[in-house]
Amino acid sequence: MNKLLRDLGLETALALILRDPSSFANVFAMSGDVESSPLAARMTTELLKDQRLQALYAAQWVPASVSLPELLAMPPASLGYQYGSLLRQLGMTPERVQKLQSPCSDSAYVLRRQKETHEIVHVLTGFGVDPLGELSLQAFNLVQNRSPLAVWILLSAAIAVLQRGDALEPLIRAVIAGFQLGLEADLLIGHRLEDHWHADLEALRLRLRLSA
């Protein structure tokens, strides 16, 4: 196991989780190691088999800029308004998300799309930004994107629950919900989601196979 972690560039990951599994700061602190590991390279290879994502990468497509006031001026049932409302709740702005650089390599582009669509996917899936909602989204990311970081986040959460002696059922239900939706839905990062700010959210969910 130690050799496997070392080969993957993740030798410190498990130690960080076991030291303080309740600290998401520890998990995200080692995200750079995860993103530069062979697992991340495999993730890129598999994701770029999707023709939509291939086309986005080939064009080095970058979403058009949009401001928070513009999003919040959209119809309440729209993706744009709901996304803007979430950003406002989190104290974020679209500019903070849009600062990612382009052009970039295939692996950097895939990671870029994952990062710049993270809150959009929260809105589309309906998974909240509370701890259980985030775990559902990480399970969704594991199924959809083969995300190695999602594995470590889910592992850290499971260890934390076991150490505290909390009930496992809420965590398991959250993870199952993410897995199920991830299996049913289109590959979200392959879509130009930012082109659909004015779209009715429920109609867009139906098109992306995100509706129950």
Side-chain angles (χ1 to χ4, degrees), residues 119-130:
E119 280 74 31
I120 301 174
V121 176
H122 264 295
V123 173
L124 286 169
T125 58
F127 295 137
V129 293
D130 59 294

Side-chain angles (χ1 to χ4, degrees), residues 88-164:
R88 181 172 58 183
Q89 174 187 338
L90 296 174
M92 298 173 61
T93 65
E95 291 79 10
R96 176 180 169 184
V97 178
Q98 294 162 0
K99 71 179 181 181
L100 302 172
Q101 298 299 308
S102 188
C104 49
S105 67
D106 57 357
S107 59
Y109 191 84
V110 166
L111 289 170
R112 173 199 173 113
R113 285 305 289 156
Q114 291 177 347
K115 290 175 180 177
E116 68 190 359
T117 60
H118 182 82
E119 280 74 31
I120 301 174
V121 176
H122 264 295
V123 173
L124 286 169
T125 58
F127 295 137
V129 293
D130 59 294
L132 287 178
E134 190 61 50
L135 291 176
S136 291
L137 192 68
Q138 292 304 324
F140 181 89
N141 286 339
L142 177 56
V143 173
Q144 285 252 307
N145 303 328
R146 301 174 63 99
S147 168
L149 182 58
V151 174
W152 296 108
I153 293 174
L154 294 171
L155 176 60
S156 69
I159 293 174
V161 167
L162 291 174
Q163 284 193 342
R164 293 195 304 263

